[in-house]
Amino acid sequence: MTLNLRRPILIGGIGLSAALWLLESLQHSGSEMGETALIGLAAAGVGYWWWKQQSPKLELALPQPLADREAAEKAIAASEAAINLLASEAPNSAHPANLTAKLDRLRTELDRQDLRITVTGGKAVGKTALIQVLNSNWVSQHPQKLSFPETAPLFANTNTDAKIGGDLVLFVIAGDITDSEFKTLSQLASAGQRVLLVWNKLDQYLPEQQSQVLHSLQQKMQGILRTEDIIAIAASPKSIKVRQHQADGTVQERIENQVSQLDALTERLTKILTEERQQLVWASAVREAASIKLEAKTFLNAVRRDRAIPIIEQYQYIAAAAVFTNPVPALDLLATTAISTQLVIDLGAIYQQKFSLDQAKTVAATLANQMFKLGLVELSTQTITGLLKSNAVTYVAGGAVQGISAAYFTRIAGLSLIEYFQSRELENAAKGILNIDHLTKTLQAVFTQNQQVSFLQSFINQVASRLSSQVSGPETVKSAVN
């Protein structure tokens, strides 16, 4: 990809720092990529052009799972807008059509009468037995069509999360709640999923223990679930051995099957289905529409990232060349600030973040300041210097460390912006609101991911090769670090 680099910000910033040497370099390396052409243009200080990209705007706020038809229709409309945006930026992709089909199906289900009550929980908590008893003793008493899909056991494989959905979820446990169960249940509730916590195997506890466990569950789930949504049952109680002493002194033994204890659960289910049936359907539509929209956004982010990465790579080499050839530290800062500012504008345009020049300068300055405050500049420079020494990389001038560092920081800034934009809802991005705390956390995470020695060594080699290819004339090669 050849980046059209005629940017007034870069022309002014790099023009001051590059001077006439860069023009001579350009003459000796006519086959170099777009960044060398930029440096020549910058040194001459000519050209003026603003790049504008026109593309549809999208309000992409995830709707809250409110249980009414209006919320469901708004969620579907927001998902449709996300799909349309994806189609506009990736016209040859099959993803928009597939997502549209899912959304069309969802529209037809807004007035459905049947309900899906998902039964989930860990291994051996009695999910299957509960479904069997409900189907045998309770479902026939209700006019609605009910189904009870069962998920795979939760927590059985730490690398796989079972997909939990449905209009209503029965979260089954076999005793006091574990940390993993609490975390999963809390996530479901916070996502707007209607949940009943069902403590099964009540019969395996003594009466005083039963009240203690139930009270503990109510205390732990306070603020997450209502008390009446925490229910104790015995879906398939164990048989008991009964001994009966006869008048003649003999003892007879028999196995006595116990009756399921589901009254508390069936009464609660009946009340919910009577009062909330349609709201449960609409809430499911809101959640499913949000899931479709997230899928569209994920595809869209992948498309945009593919467009953004080459731009970051171009700018990192521009930063390296500008600093490598510039002996004046103050002008180094001027050049890299200009590069970072234009990088912010170009990446913002890809992610529908329309920055003004002043806003872009603020973002670039914020990234630079945070790198210094977090100690990333000093740490990375020391690491790069050490790797250069250990690998005996040589250059024409002693600015190799500074040039490679400038490229590295430009890359970190660009990747941080990508991650920051991707994590935001698009309607917030369009407003140009910058969350400094979020951006700082993103910067820290991206830096950590790109601080491995293997990556840095490969990166140094790439930038070093690019810098070496831009050196002209018969100058003597000497070590960048002694």
Side-chain angles (χ1 to χ4, degrees), residues 127-183:
K127 300 186 293 296
T128 302
L130 174 58
I131 292 172
Q132 290 173 347
V133 176
L134 287 173
N135 279 323
S136 299
N137 303 334
W138 179 71
V139 170
S140 61
Q141 303 173 14
H142 293 272
Q144 297 99 339
K145 181 181 178 182
L146 302 175
S147 61
F148 294 90
E150 179 183 349
T151 71
L154 303 181
F155 324 117
N157 185 340
T158 56
N159 297 321
T160 303
D161 294 327
K163 181 177 177 58
I164 305 174
D167 304 311
L168 177 66
V169 169
L170 304 185
F171 196 101
V172 185
I173 59 176
D176 206 353
I177 195 166
T178 65
D179 290 341
S180 297
E181 289 169 336
F182 178 83
K183 180 180 179 181

Side-chain angles (χ1 to χ4, degrees), residues 289-363:
S291 177
I292 293 172
K293 181 170 61 176
L294 180 60
E295 194 173 353
K297 184 182 176 184
T298 300
F299 289 133
L300 180 62
N301 282 337
V303 170
R304 290 174 169 179
R305 188 180 185 90
D306 287 344
R307 293 165 52 199
I309 292 298
I311 292 177
I312 293 175
E313 291 175 348
Q314 293 272 358
Y315 278 118
Q316 73 189 24
Y317 294 131
I318 296 170
V323 173
F324 178 66
T325 59
N326 185 1
V328 184
L331 294 183
D332 285 352
L333 179 62
L334 177 62
T336 54
T337 299
I339 293 167
S340 298
T341 299
Q342 190 62 60
L343 177 62
V344 169
I345 291 176
D346 288 358
L347 292 182
I350 291 176
Y351 285 90
Q352 298 297 295
Q353 178 76 71
K354 302 299 184 181
F355 287 112
S356 67
L357 176 58
D358 288 340
Q359 288 174 326
K361 287 180 179 178
T362 299
V363 174

Side-chain angles (χ1 to χ4, degrees), residues 407-427:
Y408 178 71
F409 297 136
T410 300
R411 183 175 185 84
I412 294 299
L415 293 177
S416 298
L417 286 171
I418 286 179
E419 295 298 328
Y420 175 75
F421 292 148
Q422 289 186 166
S423 67
R424 305 180 75 202
E425 288 305 325
L426 295 188
E427 93 287 358

